[in-house]
Amino acid sequence: MQNMRKKIVAGNWKMNTTRPDGKELAKAVAARAAEVPEGVGLIIAPPFTHLCCCGKQLEGTKVELSAQNCADHAKGAYTGEISVDMLKAVGCQWTILGHSERRQYYGETDEKLVEKVKLALGAGLGVILCVGENLDEREAGKHFDVCATQIKNVLYNFTAEDMQKIVIAYEPVWAIGTGKTATAEQAEEIHAFIRKVLADKFGAAVAEEVTILYGGSCKPSNAKELFAQKDIDGGLIGGAALKADDFIQIALSF
Ligand code: PEP
């Protein structure tokens, strides 16, 4: 699963769908996956409880399975948590980490994220690490600083080799689930900046290979313009990933 600046469209289902609904959604995505060009990866991230049955629907297709989070400990007395080994055992290839909803509502800190990324990579999972500023930070012109700090605090603890298994999702918090999308120029500006922050630590060649996704009200009507930007390699999709046709349409937007 080496990441060679692959184009990726990943669907974050969040806390949506019951298990039967999720199974049908995974089946519908799997049924259309062959329409998506070879160079574009597809990932779905259903809730924990449906990973197993959704994973079965994906067998024999290009669609890969992701969790939305993992525990910051390997095993033991952590009631309610799900470990990386558990995710691996139900067929996950990826986990999303550091989503703004986890940072905002569940006290996910950069320190915890370092532990989670270590565990995920150690278990052989790819990581989709989310970064992004909130509205106050954007309005105060701090968006570059916020993203740089999040990247440095977490990813500067890893190696160039580790970066081959890590995808970054730039998700401005003010654009998530709000219907407000960052303009293609706003998104490209931050994506190029993130690549530079990576280059400062890992070198330009490594930074060039890292897949950087945009997330925040991405939908079939705006995906083409976003994905046409030089440093935008696809999307992390929330609401629009809950309809197979919209999700596939987005993946056909390169
Ligand atoms: C997300 O939460 O990762 C996301 C991008 O959500 P939405 O597409 O609904 O804005």
Side-chain angles (χ1 to χ4, degrees):
M1 197 190 17
Q2 188 161 323
N3 166 36
M4 297 294 286
R5 186 114 178 236
K6 203 177 171 195
K7 295 180 193 317
I8 293 175
V9 172
N12 173 15
W13 295 6
K14 311 193 186 190
M15 196 172 71
N16 291 302
T17 71
T18 59
R19 201 174 96 122
D21 294 342
K23 183 178 168 188
E24 287 310 308
L25 179 53
K27 197 171 166 183
V29 170
R32 294 197 54 191
E35 295 171 35
V36 175
E38 207 183 318
V40 179
L42 288 176
I43 300 173
I44 59 168
F48 287 134
T49 50
H50 330 349
L51 284 171
C52 211
C53 82
C54 288
K56 286 205 177 75
Q57 303 306 312
L58 307 181
E59 280 170 12
T61 77
K62 67 187 275 176
V63 190
E64 297 188 324
L65 188 67
S66 178
Q68 299 173 16
N69 182 33
C70 71
D72 56 344
H73 295 277
K75 63 189 265 193
Y78 301 100
T79 302
E81 291 294 307
I82 303 287
S83 76
V84 289
D85 287 347
M86 294 172 188
L87 297 177
K88 201 59 193 161
V90 290
C92 281
Q93 290 116 312
W94 295 89
T95 183
I96 296 171
L97 289 174
H99 191 280
S100 63
E101 287 150 16
R102 301 235 30 110
R103 293 179 188 260
Q104 194 179 344
Y105 307 135
Y106 300 100
E108 187 106 299
T109 60
D110 287 339
E111 291 71 33
K112 270 191 196 166
L113 285 169
V114 173
E115 295 314 309
K116 291 186 179 194
V117 174
K118 268 185 204 158
L119 287 163
L121 295 183
L125 292 171
V127 168
I128 301 173
L129 179 74
C130 304
V131 300
E133 81 285 353
N134 63 32
L135 187 58
D136 288 348
E137 291 161 341
R138 164 66 63 165
E139 285 176 346
K142 292 184 183 155
H143 40 298
F144 292 106
D145 282 351
V146 169
C147 292
T149 302
Q150 289 173 342
I151 299 245
K152 288 179 186 175
N153 284 349
V154 181
L155 295 182
Y156 275 25
N157 295 287
F158 294 90
T159 64
E161 201 186 338
D162 292 333
M163 288 308 299
Q164 293 181 353
K165 304 282 290 291
I166 296 173
V167 165
I168 295 173
Y170 167 61
E171 299 207 306
V173 180
W174 47 272
I176 295 180
T178 58
K180 269 193 199 173
T181 319
T183 64
E185 294 72 31
Q186 283 173 322
E188 168 59 21
E189 182 180 46
I190 292 270
H191 280 234
F193 172 76
I194 289 172
R195 216 176 283 290
K196 187 179 168 309
V197 175
L198 295 173
D200 288 346
K201 166 77 176 167
F202 302 107
V206 171
E208 269 307 305
E209 296 298 316
V210 177
T211 297
I212 308 179
L213 309 179
Y214 168 79
S217 299
C218 184
K219 43 189 181 264
S221 59
N222 59 24
K224 216 177 191 67
E225 196 188 352
L226 287 159
F227 296 176
Q229 305 303 310
K230 182 171 144 298
D231 289 289
I232 300 181
D233 307 311
L236 179 55
I237 317 300
L242 296 173
K243 287 191 182 143
D245 286 347
D246 285 357
F247 184 63
I248 295 294
Q249 203 53 52
I250 291 171
L252 294 172
S253 300
F254 288 96

